[in-house]
Amino acid sequence: MGWLRGFLYLLVLCLLQRSNSSLVQLTNNGYEDLLIAIDPLVPEDEKLIEKIKDMVTTASTYLFEATEKRFFFKTVSILIPKTWRENPQHQRPKYESYAHADVLVAPPAVPGRDDPYTRQFTECGERGEFIHFTPDFVLGKKENSYGPSGRVFVHEWAHLRWGVFDEYNEDEPYYLSTKTKTIEATRCSTKITGLNRVYKCLDNSCITRACRIDSKTKLYKKDCQFFPHKVQQEKASIMFMQNIDSIVEFCNEKNHNYEAPSLQNKKCNSRSTWEVISNSEDFKNTAPMVASPPPPAFSLLKIKERIVCLVLDKSENMASSNRLSRMNQAVKHFLLQTIENGSWVGIVAFDSTAHIKSKLIQITSHKERNKLLECLPTDASGGISICSGIRSAFQVIREKFPQTDGSEITLVAAGTDNTIRNCMDEVKQSGAIIHSVALGPSADEALAELSQVTGGSHQFASDQAQSNGLVDAFRDFTSGNAYISQQALQLESKGLTLTSDLWMNGTVIIDSTVGKETFFFVTWANQPPSISLYDPTGTFMGGFTVDNDTKMAHLTIPGIAKVGIWTYSLQAKVSPETLTMTVTSQVANSSMPPITVNAKMNKDTHSFPSTMIVYAEIQQGYLPILGANVTAFIESKNGKTEILELLDNGAGADSFKNDGVYSRYFSAYKENGRYSLKVFAHGKANVVTRSSSHPQNRVRSMPVWVLDGEIEEMPSRYEINEETQTALESFSRTSSGGVFVVSNIPKFPLPDVHPPNQITDLDAKPDEDQITVTWTAPGDNFDVGKAQRYIIRISGSIHGLRDNFDNALQVNTTDLLPNEANSKESFAFKPGDTLEENTTHIFIAIQSIDKSNLTSEVSNIVQAQAHYPAPAPLTYISTVTQSTKDSLATSGTHSHLTPPHFWDPLAQAHCPTPHVSDVHEHGNTEPPLNQVQEELENHLPLE
């Protein structure tokens, strides 16, 4: 807990709103509008800006050569915190915000941990969320650990832009090669040479010895590391170790290491990184350049005050389904709770013409908020002209500010407007950001385009009031550049239409990271309900402010709300009645970052039968939250809701287990059009945990180099237990995941087109004469239902399974019956006499088949030992300092000391042959380092 308080609290603006929101465009081989954002908690340092420029400039040249003269960085914007001093070079941002940042320069999640990484949890070939660099990394203070920043940037850019993965695997650092018949380090390419050694230090004493083989895995034990030679000839690969001087390429089809259990092989079906890059839209739309590219051009953007104009539909389209009243409820919640202090707000209403209801007012207290509440439209009639509303909003903004760059328009519309495209060019040139809400099934589809071309957020709310969609939509319009301490987090969003039972009961959890300005908001359709609210001690909380005109009531808890379970009961007065409850709360203490939830779909548009995936990312600061119960609510344009339980199990749609990202396939769509996504997350005390493990897709800290036959001194670095998990208290959160559109759904009954999902977590362990394989069960349709049967095949060659699965040897699975999706499966079999005599290991893969005979993709391929080669003799070599000699001499211990030498008997093909006099093996008449070795090993945590 101390380190969380120690780093103050990390700005998590991007975590609240990200959804593939990058503004980057590829034009004539150059990436334009790359956005690098400096976190407001980073101390002001002009050197940081210069170092960012240097990093991107060198990265551009490295990227250009690595991609065979295809890509470079053309224009880059650096977003500077509002708290930094003014500079004549600073410009006001247009669309740019933290929500759009491609690179975040922010404090480390854990002090001293400066690992550069990319937040990447989508499928192979799909873009990531953002790159995280720490200030110390950018300033060059960590170059000894990670290498030149420009090279690291290219490594991470490949994660972010092209969806490739690392070509190492710290969980599986070694494998048994069928080519060399030896244990190999997981790497690409295999021409990267080095030594496998155990290297450990205690105070000033270091020991180096040969790696020992684990009797179960037949691979090196966990304390063994691969130390590359500092001087190499190999050029690939950037996704393995870009900090080697000779590395200037990605592994391609010719030099790719298909055997290695790298993340790239596991996630991309054993395709090389260059094959994935070559299949990207970027690659398909470009050709190699002849001339060298120009250096990147940089713009410095300084965050200013927020300017928002609400543009509200009051046309006849708002007269049905209680839309006008519901819109005003949502707008009032926005004005009372969502919009930040210091913001400028104006209001425009429109029908066939526009009506300015309020000029810009700067919010400094509740007085200004209440004044704006009085300016909302009260009747719905007339035609619709969305462009009139937008143009009047520009007028309102320009009356106070000379330009509209960076201002925001929040637009609500319920009808179709045939003239909406008349102002599209004007909108594009304005520099304003347009957020839009499509209300009801007939809202103009061009609303989404207005938001897309301006970098805004697009939301959808159905006519089903009990879904609370309008309030949720406006909750998403928090500032992309505001401190999280100024934002209200949504803890509850619930609604019911009551008929026979007139009670709506529920609970809300206030955890210790929130509680300030806790706001309870109740709406109804007909008559005010009776409201009962109790704090965790059972004390009744009265004093709701009732607004009968807008049909809402609200209560703010003064100070910090009590931690625990709050209970509410709403009793309707008439039947039927629709009631909703929304609860928001702000951060209780700036020294403790709150738990946040960010929801999204893998894509904004889908054409049947494309694969749809729901994601919900739960974090505290940048650290993942594990063990939560996460539920997605997906509502169609006509108000039909599907419910999905999201999982963080590393199977099916979920890329990585225990990374705080909960995922699930969605295939239960039944109609074309818009869908909205909302996610509810609940954590139970002492079940939910916060993990401090290193993130996936990070740059490895530079290992010790081998130079002139000697291991160089290990760079000092901060170490933390990577498996630390801290038990948390109970919490609850809700989050809007925006809108997605589905098209080309045929008429019912829908054909069965969805096979079982690919099994991605197949594992195999030998047990005497049999092999046990385990995996997570797929479903009938992706990860829903139950598959019909499994096919397991084996081969002595990985290519035999990868390229010709159907002709590989099939295992008898007659007695293997699939369980329900997401169950754990286990099956044991004996390879028997089916293998060739000299086969030492086999490769295994699995497919599943559903009731319609649809077949899944072939699973990840795993390797298991069949027969084992005799282990090579162990060689012990030690580096001993003068202090160790003195210590041993003092204790009366005598030892034969030798100079440090480094030779691996299992890597002779890659290493120079040592002199006989330099090698001491067990059993020699001249024992090598006997007593020194024992003395050191007694004090070291050796495996």
Side-chain angles (χ1 to χ4, degrees):
M1 188 66 71
W3 61 264
L4 270 173
R5 300 186 185 279
F7 75 43
L8 295 176
Y9 90 178
L10 194 59
L11 188 69
V12 290
L13 307 168
C14 60
L15 304 180
L16 298 176
Q17 299 189 41
R18 301 199 64 88
S19 181
N20 286 342
S21 52
S22 173
L23 301 175
V24 172
Q25 300 291 326
L26 180 62
T27 305
N28 296 327
N29 298 81
Y31 289 111
E32 299 179 335
D33 301 325
L34 173 70
L35 181 60
I36 300 176
I38 302 175
D39 190 298
L41 291 182
V42 173
E44 184 171 355
D45 186 349
E46 289 297 324
K47 292 181 181 178
L48 190 62
I49 294 175
E50 295 306 312
K51 286 293 186 179
I52 290 174
K53 292 180 180 180
D54 292 343
M55 175 181 70
V56 178
T57 301
T58 56
S60 184
T61 302
Y62 190 57
L63 178 68
F64 184 69
E65 297 299 329
T67 57
E68 299 178 356
K69 305 185 185 301
R70 279 185 182 268
F71 306 120
F72 67 98
F73 296 116
K74 185 182 292 185
T75 61
V76 182
S77 296
I78 303 175
L79 191 61
I80 299 170
K82 185 179 180 180
T83 54
W84 287 29
R85 287 173 293 182
E86 292 291 338
N87 186 306
Q89 296 181 339
H90 296 169
Q91 306 172 39
R92 184 183 182 92
K94 291 185 178 181
Y95 313 133
E96 301 88 354
S97 72
Y98 284 93
H100 300 117
D102 303 290
V103 180
L104 288 169
V105 179
V110 178
R113 181 188 291 176
D114 291 276
D115 299 334
Y117 71 90
T118 299
R119 193 62 172 146
Q120 178 187 13
F121 50 75
T122 50
E123 296 184 315
C124 178
E126 294 187 359
R127 295 175 186 174
E129 300 297 295
F130 61 89
I131 298 169
H132 182 184
F133 292 143
T134 67
D136 280 355
F137 168 79
V138 176
L139 289 170
K141 297 178 181 180
K142 302 296 178 179
E143 185 168 333
N144 285 339
S145 294
Y146 305 106
S149 61
R151 285 175 168 244
V152 172
F153 188 20
V154 172
H155 177 105
E156 296 304 325
W157 181 257
H159 283 308
L160 181 73
R161 186 70 184 183
W162 301 311
V164 300
F165 293 85
D166 291 319
E167 289 172 321
Y168 52 82
N169 188 340
E170 294 186 340
D171 293 329
E172 299 180 64
Y174 291 99
Y175 68 99
L176 188 59
S177 172
T178 59
K179 295 179 180 179
T180 64
K181 306 298 182 183
T182 60
I183 300 172
E184 293 279 359
T186 300
R187 66 196 191 281
C188 193
S189 81
T190 55
K191 290 183 180 180
I192 295 175
T193 63
L195 301 180
N196 302 306
R197 284 288 177 272
V198 175
Y199 181 82
K200 294 185 178 182
C201 297
L202 179 66
D203 298 326
N204 293 323
S205 302
C206 295
I207 181 174
T208 303
R209 64 170 173 80
C211 300
R212 293 169 174 165
I213 294 178
D214 187 286
S215 60
K216 293 182 179 179
T217 66
K218 306 306 175 183
L219 300 174
Y220 292 133
K221 289 188 175 183
K222 291 182 179 180
D223 59 355
C224 185
Q225 300 178 70
F226 175 72
F227 299 113
H229 292 111
K230 192 167 187 177
V231 179
Q232 303 272 349
Q233 300 299 318
E234 178 59 16
K235 295 182 178 181
S237 168
I238 290 171
M239 298 313 293
F240 172 66
M241 198 169 287
Q242 76 294 323
N243 45 9
I244 295 176
D245 291 342
S246 66
I247 299 298
V248 292
E249 298 175 356
F250 294 95
C251 266
N252 56 38
E253 191 172 4
K254 293 181 179 179
N255 58 15
H256 180 58
N257 184 1
Y258 298 98
E259 291 187 308
S262 66
L263 293 179
Q264 173 66 21
N265 280 337
K266 288 176 177 287
K267 299 299 181 184
C268 298
N269 292 331
S270 297
R271 289 182 295 162
S272 69
T273 53
W274 187 245
E275 287 177 89
V276 175
I277 295 170
S278 300
N279 196 47
S280 68
E281 290 301 315
D282 288 356
F283 196 93
K284 294 176 182 177
N285 295 326
T286 56
M289 295 174 61
V290 176
S292 298
F298 295 91
S299 300
L300 303 182
L301 307 179
K302 178 74 176 296
I303 297 169
K304 308 291 184 180
E305 62 270 86
R306 189 181 186 192
I307 305 167
V308 180
C309 188
L310 302 176
V311 179
L312 309 175
D313 190 352
K314 63 172 292 293
S315 70
E316 60 188 7
N317 299 292
M318 298 294 290
S320 61
S321 301
N322 204 23
R323 290 173 182 167
L324 186 67
S325 177
R326 291 172 51 225
M327 179 186 70
N328 286 343
Q329 292 168 352
V331 171
K332 288 190 175 183
H333 186 277
F334 175 80
L335 292 173
L336 289 170
Q337 272 291 293
T338 302
I339 189 70
E340 302 83 8
N341 280 335
S343 302
W344 292 85
V345 180
I347 299 176
V348 171
F350 69 92
D351 41 44
S352 56
T353 59
H355 315 271
I356 297 176
K357 309 292 287 185
S358 173
K359 296 182 178 182
L360 288 179
I361 298 175
Q362 188 172 30
I363 296 177
T364 59
S365 66
H366 285 288
K367 177 182 177 182
E368 292 81 19
R369 296 178 187 270
N370 292 329
K371 184 176 181 179
L372 290 166
L373 295 179
E374 299 172 357
C375 301
L376 303 184
T378 56
D379 66 289
S381 61
I384 182 171
S385 175
I386 294 173
C387 285
S388 294
I390 292 174
R391 291 187 177 113
S392 292
F394 290 156
Q395 178 185 339
V396 168
I397 295 167
R398 288 178 180 134
E399 285 182 2
K400 185 68 181 178
F401 296 93
Q403 58 187 20
T404 54
D405 285 354
S407 61
E408 300 173 57
I409 292 174
T410 299
L411 170 65
V412 182
T416 300
D417 181 0
N418 295 326
T419 66
I420 188 172
R421 297 189 183 278
N422 292 346
C423 58
M424 194 67 73
D425 289 338
E426 186 178 347
V427 165
K428 293 177 182 178
Q429 296 169 8
S430 70
I433 302 168
I434 297 184
H435 309 296
S436 61
V437 180
L439 178 53
S442 301
D444 204 303
E445 295 181 358
L447 292 171
E449 186 177 347
L450 285 172
S451 297
Q452 182 180 12
V453 299
T454 63
S457 173
H458 177 59
Q459 300 290 325
F460 163 69
S462 75
D463 284 332
Q464 303 300 313
Q466 69 271 17
S467 70
N468 210 23
L470 264 174
V471 173
D472 293 337
F474 269 86
R475 278 283 314 127
D476 195 59
F477 299 146
T478 54
S479 170
N481 291 325
Y483 283 100
I484 197 170
S485 61
Q486 294 181 278
Q487 300 180 18
L489 302 178
Q490 193 170 35
L491 311 185
E492 173 79 308
S493 175
K494 180 180 179 180
L496 287 176
T497 295
L498 306 173
T499 52
S500 56
D501 185 357
L502 300 182
W503 288 90
M504 183 174 115
N505 303 313
T507 59
V508 180
I509 300 172
I510 307 291
D511 60 272
S512 61
T513 68
V514 294
K516 182 181 177 182
E517 293 289 323
T518 302
F519 188 71
F520 290 82
F521 186 77
V522 179
T523 70
W524 57 90
N526 299 304
Q527 294 184 19
S530 62
I531 304 174
S532 300
L533 176 66
Y534 300 91
D535 74 6
T537 65
T539 302
F540 176 78
M541 308 298 291
F544 274 83
T545 299
V546 179
D547 182 347
N548 285 311
D549 292 335
T550 313
K551 300 179 180 178
M552 54 177 258
H554 57 87
L555 172 68
T556 300
I557 306 300
I560 304 297
K562 292 181 179 179
V563 172
I565 299 175
W566 291 63
T567 304
Y568 65 85
S569 294
L570 309 180
Q571 184 183 19
K573 299 296 181 59
V574 296
S575 176
E577 178 66 280
T578 299
L579 304 176
T580 71
M581 169 67 85
T582 306
V583 183
T584 58
S585 189
Q586 294 185 14
V587 174
N589 190 328
S590 61
S591 67
M592 181 65 63
I595 295 169
T596 59
V597 178
N598 174 45
K600 59 172 279 186
M601 298 295 297
N602 62 325
K603 295 179 181 178
D604 294 331
T605 58
H606 300 264
S607 178
F608 180 87
S610 68
T611 304
M612 286 179 275
I613 302 176
V614 186
Y615 297 107
E617 184 179 24
I618 309 179
Q619 294 183 308
Q620 186 174 14
Y622 285 110
L623 298 179
I625 302 300
L626 314 181
N629 295 316
V630 185
T631 306
F633 299 86
I634 301 173
E635 185 180 16
S636 71
K637 67 178 182 179
N638 291 314
K640 296 179 181 178
T641 301
E642 296 289 339
I643 301 175
L644 277 177
E645 180 188 1
L646 307 186
L647 304 173
D648 186 14
N649 61 355
D654 193 61
S655 293
F656 297 101
K657 185 177 181 179
N658 291 339
D659 66 345
V661 179
Y662 299 73
S663 317
R664 198 75 183 271
Y665 288 107
F666 173 61
S667 59
Y669 39 77
K670 296 180 174 62
E671 55 184 300
N672 292 309
R674 297 183 180 100
Y675 288 74
S676 66
L677 168 66
K678 180 165 69 175
V679 166
F680 175 74
H682 170 260
K684 187 177 180 181
N686 298 319
V687 174
V688 66
T689 61
R690 180 185 62 242
S691 172
S692 63
S693 61
H694 284 284
Q696 299 284 350
N697 309 309
R698 64 186 176 94
V699 171
R700 298 174 69 181
S701 175
M702 184 184 298
V704 177
W705 296 114
V706 177
L707 182 63
D708 296 331
E710 296 186 5
I711 294 182
E712 290 188 328
E713 182 180 355
M714 182 178 293
S716 60
R717 60 172 301 204
Y718 180 87
E719 294 291 344
I720 186 169
N721 183 358
E722 298 185 7
E723 301 301 323
T724 298
Q725 293 187 8
T726 304
L728 299 180
E729 60 196 314
S730 298
F731 74 90
S732 62
R733 298 288 188 274
T734 64
S735 175
S736 171
V739 183
F740 63 97
V741 178
V742 181
S743 60
N744 295 323
I745 298 177
K747 294 182 179 179
F748 277 84
L750 293 180
D752 185 357
V753 295
H754 298 305
N757 64 262
Q758 180 189 27
I759 294 169
T760 58
D761 63 344
L762 183 67
D763 191 22
K765 286 185 170 53
D767 184 11
E768 295 182 353
D769 62 340
Q770 68 179 17
I771 296 172
T772 299
V773 287
T774 58
W775 66 95
T776 300
D780 178 73
N781 293 327
F782 295 131
D783 56 3
V784 176
K786 184 191 297 186
Q788 192 77 9
R789 60 190 177 93
Y790 293 120
I791 297 175
I792 299 176
R793 295 184 185 273
I794 61 176
S795 174
S797 163
I798 190 171
H799 298 282
L801 288 179
R802 186 176 64 90
D803 301 330
N804 199 10
F805 179 83
D806 291 339
N807 290 326
L809 185 65
Q810 184 170 348
V811 176
N812 184 352
T813 56
T814 304
D815 297 330
L816 177 58
L817 300 177
N819 290 307
E820 285 291 329
N822 299 304
S823 303
K824 293 304 295 183
E825 302 273 35
S826 179
F827 181 73
F829 66 94
K830 296 182 179 181
D833 299 328
T834 58
L835 301 174
E836 296 180 6
E837 182 177 351
N838 295 325
T839 299
T840 58
H841 51 274
I842 61 173
F843 295 93
I844 309 166
I846 185 172
Q847 274 186 328
S848 48
I849 301 175
D850 70 8
K851 61 179 181 294
S852 298
N853 212 34
L854 297 175
T855 304
S856 72
E857 295 182 49
V858 177
S859 72
N860 62 298
I861 299 174
V862 294
Q863 186 186 72
Q865 306 296 324
H867 307 289
Y868 306 120
L874 299 181
T875 304
Y876 288 85
I877 312 99
S878 181
T879 301
V880 186
T881 65
Q882 183 61 47
S883 61
T884 305
K885 297 179 184 179
D886 296 341
S887 173
L888 295 175
T890 303
S891 62
T893 304
H894 175 72
S895 173
H896 176 80
L897 297 173
T898 65
H901 300 290
F902 307 95
W903 174 58
D904 189 344
L906 295 179
Q908 295 183 47
H910 304 308
C911 311
T913 303
H915 297 293
V916 175
S917 60
D918 290 340
V919 181
H920 303 274
E921 297 184 359
H922 285 297
N924 285 3
T925 56
E926 185 181 35
L929 312 173
N930 280 353
Q931 294 158 326
V932 176
Q933 181 78 38
E934 293 176 4
E935 186 76 16
L936 286 173
E937 288 190 4
N938 287 338
H939 293 84
L940 290 173
L942 299 179
E943 293 291 335

